[in-house]
Amino acid sequence: MGRLILVTGGSRSGKSQLAEQKATILGGDDVLYMATGIATDEDMKERIQIHKLRRNPNWGTFEGYRDLADAVCETSHQTLLLDCVTVLITNFLVEEERDFDELTKEEISYIEEDILTEIQSLIQTVKDTDKNLIVVTNEVGMSVVSAYRMGRIFSDITGKVNQMLAGVSDEVYLSVSGIPLQIK
């Protein structure tokens, strides 16, 4: 029976390394790394490069943030590592030009449902195919409330998505200063 593991923590807390360790334990070389990052600037290019250099070169890679369930169906890998949900959410928010100060509650709800549907479809497909899934996400609820509406929308959606993920996960880890704490 497949496992669903959620790894959360603050920025640069060691969560990706912890997720990679869990993936190695569950899948060895039989892992599909689902990378959601898009190289939009030099900083992001550098982050992506660091992740590429650190992960097992034998792992497969899927790059994207939509149609994740299709990627699961198309791969023979039994263990999947999605890194990361917060970047996925950001991609959904900025894929269209939006004035976040003018978004209605209905428009925000539509974006949120689109994101939840993508992730729920991934989870259901993983369960249906009896694969393991390790999901990385940032814990944004412990930080300062953003002065900008886009930041508040991002935090609200991330909080809801993280709650849903934690609720359906078999195990949940919080990484704090590189120290993993199992909280479920």
Side-chain angles (χ1 to χ4, degrees):
M1 182 171 184
R3 309 276 308 151
L4 178 55
I5 299 172
L6 178 64
V7 179
T8 189
S11 181
R12 297 291 199 252
S13 65
K15 60 190 174 298
S16 291
Q17 293 93 325
L18 175 59
E20 290 163 8
Q21 290 169 4
K22 296 290 179 189
T24 298
I25 290 167
L26 285 173
D29 286 344
D30 185 26
V31 175
L32 178 67
Y33 190 99
M34 304 177 87
T36 62
I38 298 172
T40 55
D41 59 24
E42 290 305 313
D43 288 340
M44 195 61 177
K45 286 178 186 174
E46 184 180 332
R47 282 179 179 231
I48 291 169
Q49 188 61 27
I50 289 168
H51 280 252
K52 284 181 177 179
L53 292 172
R54 189 181 60 225
R55 68 179 170 249
N56 185 330
N58 296 315
W59 290 358
T61 302
F62 169 84
E63 295 178 344
Y65 65 96
R66 285 196 175 269
D67 303 319
L68 301 175
D70 292 344
V72 172
C73 291
E74 293 169 5
T75 186
S76 62
H77 297 288
Q78 291 301 301
T79 298
L80 315 162
L81 192 164
L82 175 65
D83 196 355
C84 94
V85 167
T86 44
V87 172
L88 177 148
I89 291 169
T90 300
N91 292 339
F92 271 82
L93 289 173
V94 301
E95 70 186 357
E96 295 178 20
E97 190 170 319
R98 295 183 167 101
D99 181 347
F100 288 93
D101 292 326
E102 298 297 323
L103 283 182
T104 65
K105 289 182 181 180
E106 291 78 20
E107 290 169 319
I108 295 167
S109 291
Y110 174 79
I111 296 166
E112 183 179 299
E113 282 303 313
D114 198 20
I115 293 165
L116 284 166
T117 298
E118 180 69 42
I119 295 171
Q120 289 166 335
S121 177
L122 168 66
I123 291 167
Q124 189 59 54
T125 303
V126 166
K127 287 182 178 184
D128 291 346
T129 57
D130 199 32
K131 296 183 180 189
N132 300 306
L133 175 62
I134 300 123
V135 177
V136 177
T137 188
N138 284 52
E139 173 49 60
V140 297
M142 294 185 206
S143 61
V144 176
V145 175
S146 176
Y148 301 98
R149 189 156 188 249
M150 180 186 182
R152 293 190 303 273
I153 293 167
F154 167 80
S155 292
D156 289 348
I157 292 172
T158 301
K160 290 177 184 176
V161 169
N162 287 352
Q163 287 182 52
M164 183 273 297
L165 283 166
V168 299
S169 292
D170 299 299
E171 301 170 29
V172 179
Y173 294 87
L174 173 65
S175 185
V176 180
S177 300
I179 300 171
L181 305 167
Q182 185 170 2
I183 56 177
K184 179 179 178 185

